[in-house]
Amino acid sequence: MSTVIGVLRKRFLAPPLASVGFAERGFPVTHTDATARLEAVPQAVVCGFEWAIEGASLWEIERRLALIEPEQRGFAYEGATMGYTILDAMPGGGRDRTRALLEGPGRPHIFLTYIGIGFAMARLPRPLWKNILPELSGVAYHPVMSWLAVDGFGFDRAYFDTKKWVDEQAEPQPYPWAGRPEYFGRAFDQGVGRALWFINGGDPDAVAEAVVRFAEHRRADLWSGVGLAATFAGGSDQRGLGRLRRAAGEHYDELALGVVFAVKARTYSSYVPAHTHLAAGVLTDLSVQGAQDLADRTEQADGDDGPQPPYELWRQRIRAEFDPAARRLAG
């Protein structure tokens, strides 16, 4: 049950639904049924955030989020994780809400709940990041996929401060996430790539033009983010996805990598919408089952404790399936 303090937190911290919409953000998006579905994604995040930041119990959060349609439910869990993470980080927070959420009802959405932690990072000073990732017990993909928190941070900055991070292509200050400060910027750009899909309303030509405006060394990670967003969130039809595949050009393997990760996240949550089936087929020539099998068989290998984060090594092995040169390197 909400308290007076919770209601005040919601009032001052939760953005109005309209403020996350494409028109309010000034994005060059023509309203269609497809873009309306995309626009519902940040709105679902806000709903989850509002419920959590009010201080709703885990029992109540789980039941409220169960009322969200399955296609958007993972996004609402992003928002709830963001809210709980901020509460835990506040002075005197210390109630370990985030860990309970991720080990409990948020477990099927672990890929997205990490992103929710990244959204919280965008609103917290860096000194508070040190202990922001909870220690989880018995949760698959932890901590390997925790780089999605940095991805979420990049998405948030690109979506809400587009001028700086997209128009001016600013680069983030490195941070030793998982002890790897050198990889921080790459994971950040993967989130920026996801944001480009939303900022441009899923228009493949506009997205490709946006990617090309960035420095060459950043484009590969941007394309993987685009592939993930196009597959997980939808927003384009078969013809548009075909144009997106062609536009990726030399970075096709990165686009396909994003598709495979999106399929893995969807299948792990036990709900795969029609647009994910469509994107998997058009962008990778794989069925959803084929993409999931690819993710599973490349998940672990000897040498994953080397200089590269295991997360990136997994990504590398997936890329190798779509790029013969990369396959030789992954050897």
Side-chain angles (χ1 to χ4, degrees):
M1 182 177 295
S2 300
T3 64
V4 173
I5 294 176
V7 171
L8 290 174
R9 282 197 302 259
K10 173 183 170 181
R11 179 169 183 176
F12 287 104
L13 295 176
L17 281 183
S19 72
V20 301
F22 296 158
E24 185 73 14
R25 305 251 34 99
F27 299 157
V29 176
T30 301
H31 179 78
T32 65
D33 289 344
T35 61
R37 295 298 297 172
L38 271 184
E39 200 168 27
V41 169
Q43 293 171 347
V45 174
V46 170
C47 288
F49 177 72
E50 286 182 342
W51 295 332
I53 203 66
E54 283 183 344
S57 69
L58 184 63
W59 181 91
E60 187 171 349
I61 285 288
E62 180 178 7
R63 279 146 188 82
R64 288 190 180 191
L65 295 184
L67 300 175
I68 302 290
E69 61 174 305
E71 183 177 333
Q72 303 288 354
R73 190 173 298 148
F75 300 119
Y77 267 98
E78 283 183 5
T81 305
M82 172 187 169
Y84 269 3
T85 300
I86 290 175
L87 289 180
D88 284 347
M90 286 180 173
R95 292 178 57 186
D96 219 7
R97 302 171 183 84
T98 310
R99 180 191 59 78
L101 178 65
L102 271 57
E103 288 183 352
R107 187 181 299 221
H109 307 284
I110 187 65
F111 295 85
L112 276 73
T113 54
Y114 281 135
I115 291 172
I117 292 174
F119 292 166
M121 290 162 61
R123 287 153 183 83
L124 294 169
R126 284 197 174 204
L128 293 181
W129 291 7
K130 183 178 180 181
N131 299 312
I132 203 171
L133 183 67
E135 291 292 334
L136 303 179
S137 176
V139 176
Y141 308 108
H142 180 79
V144 172
M145 294 300 292
S146 71
W147 282 102
L148 285 171
V150 182
D151 176 307
F153 175 61
F155 179 98
D156 184 284
R157 294 298 75 216
Y159 196 92
F160 289 104
D161 193 357
T162 308
K163 182 177 186 297
K164 177 178 180 178
W165 300 103
V166 176
D167 298 343
E168 299 173 2
Q169 293 103 44
E171 296 190 52
Q173 179 183 353
Y175 180 85
W177 189 264
R180 309 292 180 100
E182 71 283 356
Y183 194 75
F184 186 83
R186 290 196 57 190
F188 181 93
D189 278 349
Q190 291 153 26
V192 173
R194 284 196 305 112
L196 292 179
W197 182 253
F198 287 82
I199 290 168
N200 292 283
D203 181 327
D205 303 312
V207 171
E209 290 174 5
V211 171
V212 170
R213 295 189 193 105
F214 282 78
E216 172 61 34
H217 73 277
R218 303 182 67 181
R219 294 176 193 166
D221 288 311
L222 294 171
W223 273 114
S224 71
V226 169
L228 199 158
T231 306
F232 196 96
S236 187
D237 59 14
Q238 182 170 355
R239 182 175 297 179
L241 291 169
R243 295 205 309 275
L244 184 69
R245 176 171 176 164
R246 292 189 293 273
E250 64 179 322
H251 295 300
Y252 167 69
D253 57 325
E254 298 283 350
L255 178 74
L257 158 63
V259 174
V260 172
F261 263 1
V263 168
K264 178 62 182 176
R266 277 295 189 187
T267 56
Y268 193 70
S269 72
S270 300
Y271 181 81
V272 184
H275 66 250
T276 297
H277 287 276
L278 176 65
V282 174
L283 297 179
T284 67
D285 301 319
L286 293 172
S287 65
V288 161
Q289 185 63 56
Q292 179 186 347
D293 291 344
L294 170 56
D296 291 344
R297 75 170 180 266
T298 55
E299 180 181 345
Q300 293 180 332
D302 293 338
D304 274 7
D305 57 350
Q308 292 270 27
Y311 171 72
E312 175 56 29
L313 293 173
W314 188 7
R315 289 165 51 85
Q316 181 178 312
R317 289 190 291 269
I318 294 172
R319 283 196 302 269
E321 297 290 326
F322 300 97
D323 179 2
R327 187 178 299 116
R328 288 194 296 272
L329 289 174

